[in-house]
Amino acid sequence: MDTPDETLAQAAAGGDRVAFATLVSRHYDRIFALAWRLSGSHADAEDLAQEICAALPVKLSRWRGEARFTTWLYRVVVNAAHDLRRRQATRARAADGWGDWEIARQAEILAANEAGAWLTAAMTRLSPELRDTCALVLGEEMSQAEAGMVLGVSEGTIAWRMSEVRKRLRALAAEEAR
């Protein structure tokens, strides 16, 4: 005669591995089927069934035997499905915010790349001295003093060259805008 589920559950709660294995093999299909109906997804049902079986030893230690074992087990599956839905809803809300943030970030990257491409193209139209100065100050983010040391000119010369670069780049941008 088969051992009743309640007896197996009490033994499994006490650490009986054979009783636990018997319970899982006896009810796994039932756990999976209910999880599938509750989640609507085969993959989610598989995950839920595995999570439930992994957590079952701890949960069994809290089983009081007030209801039939299968009634209690169904409640465990329903609670796990509710938890899954809450987690999915939380992730969806978080993803919505991140989606907007990511769209804005991608737009900023695109604008920066376009500006960088325009600046690179515009720099080819500058004299070599202005191009070198611009590359060091804007591209390498050097101070005017550092750029002056690299190019062997005074900081004042670098300041004048950068003023010329801005003037010429504004003129190029205005010309392109027409």
Side-chain angles (χ1 to χ4, degrees):
M1 176 168 173
D2 281 340
T3 307
D5 289 337
E6 290 72 17
T7 304
L8 290 172
Q10 287 175 341
D16 186 336
R17 293 174 188 248
V18 174
F20 178 75
T22 303
L23 277 175
V24 170
S25 66
R26 189 180 286 179
H27 294 287
Y28 184 84
D29 290 342
R30 180 176 290 150
I31 292 168
F32 175 79
L34 180 57
W36 193 353
R37 283 190 292 281
L38 293 172
S39 69
S41 162
H42 189 273
D44 287 343
E46 286 177 341
D47 291 345
L48 278 172
Q50 289 176 12
E51 287 175 21
I52 290 165
C53 289
L56 206 51
V58 173
K59 291 186 182 300
L60 277 170
S61 69
R62 290 186 242 128
W63 179 63
R64 295 186 304 258
E66 295 169 356
R68 287 184 30 202
F69 175 76
T70 53
T71 302
W72 174 82
L73 185 60
Y74 282 137
R75 186 76 233 160
V76 169
V77 176
V78 168
N79 288 342
H82 289 175
D83 291 344
L84 174 67
R85 280 190 221 118
R86 278 193 293 274
R87 285 191 309 265
Q88 288 172 335
T90 299
R91 280 189 215 114
R93 282 192 303 276
D96 284 345
W98 281 107
D100 295 342
W101 176 82
E102 180 62 16
I103 289 168
R105 188 179 78 82
Q106 291 295 328
E108 288 175 15
I109 290 170
L110 181 62
N113 287 344
E114 288 173 354
W118 180 85
L119 182 59
T120 299
M123 283 177 60
T124 62
R125 298 174 66 185
L126 297 174
S127 68
E129 295 82 18
L130 293 180
R131 191 177 324 133
D132 295 347
T133 302
C134 185
L136 293 173
V137 173
L138 297 179
E140 297 301 317
E141 298 179 359
M142 288 185 176
S143 68
Q144 291 182 355
E146 292 169 327
M149 287 176 56
V150 170
L151 296 175
V153 296
S154 72
E155 186 176 345
T157 301
I158 298 296
W160 176 85
R161 286 181 181 176
M162 286 306 298
S163 173
E164 279 299 303
V165 165
R166 286 194 233 8
K167 218 184 321 180
R168 292 188 187 178
L169 291 178
R170 270 190 232 113
L172 287 172
E175 181 182 310
E176 289 178 11
R178 286 186 234 147

